[in-house]
Amino acid sequence: MTPRPEHPSTDNRRVRRAPRWAAVAAVAAATVAAPATAHALPPHPFGPPALTIGCANQGSVMSLTGATGQSGPEQNPPIGPGEIRFATFPAAPPIPAAGQVTVAWINLDTGATGVAALEGTYPYYAKTVNTGHGNIRATVFGTIDLTSLPLCQTNPTFGNFVV
């Protein structure tokens, strides 16, 4: 069996395709080589909102406080690599007048642990904590002081985060 001779136009097509493939390869190489801007994931909620009980505030003895964790790196708010920004917010009214919210965390990969008081104006507290890279388990809990009324509490809520 004799090989079939190639048609002259086939060689011309190959020559015309070469610059296209070179352009595609250049774009792919630039995409891989170009530094990308780091963007963190949006804030990740803890489990269910924390039930705040015992506060006779605005005619109710309970309210809900939500909590989130956001891992870095992120520019706004500033969160570095290996850090998480923990934050709280009102999840349901009424909103207690003042409080102290604490986060306790453990890095399940490295064994590092920590406890930090969130800062700000209740219920909008936040704190960026250096947890290191790994799987993080955290809990948020607190107490609320209504000055003229007895102390009440924000029950714990738990969350899992990856840094």
Side-chain angles (χ1 to χ4, degrees):
M1 194 175 211
T2 55
R4 227 169 102 186
E6 288 194 35
H7 195 274
S9 65
T10 305
D11 290 334
N12 288 340
R13 280 189 235 150
R14 287 185 189 149
V15 170
R16 283 186 293 190
R17 289 184 187 156
R20 289 184 203 159
W21 286 109
V24 169
V27 170
T31 302
V32 171
T37 304
H39 291 287
L41 294 173
H44 178 74
F46 275 72
L51 179 63
T52 304
I53 58 174
C55 302
N57 181 15
Q58 301 175 10
S60 175
V61 293
M62 78 163 226
S63 65
L64 295 174
T65 300
T68 62
Q70 181 178 10
S71 59
E74 181 62 61
Q75 292 179 1
N76 190 17
I79 307 168
E83 295 181 337
I84 296 180
R85 179 175 176 82
F86 295 105
T88 63
F89 58 91
I95 300 170
Q100 174 57 52
V101 177
T102 303
V103 63
W105 58 269
I106 181 170
N107 185 323
L108 299 174
D109 294 339
T110 66
T113 61
V115 177
L118 302 186
E119 302 164 345
T121 304
Y122 189 82
Y124 298 100
Y125 285 144
K127 177 98 176 184
T128 301
V129 178
N130 186 353
T131 60
H133 293 281
N135 292 302
I136 310 300
R137 176 112 0 114
T139 182
V140 170
F141 56 93
T143 59
I144 298 169
D145 181 10
L146 296 175
T147 61
S148 64
L149 297 173
L151 194 69
C152 55
Q153 71 179 30
T154 299
N155 289 335
T157 186
F158 297 89
N160 296 311
F161 308 94
V162 176
V163 178

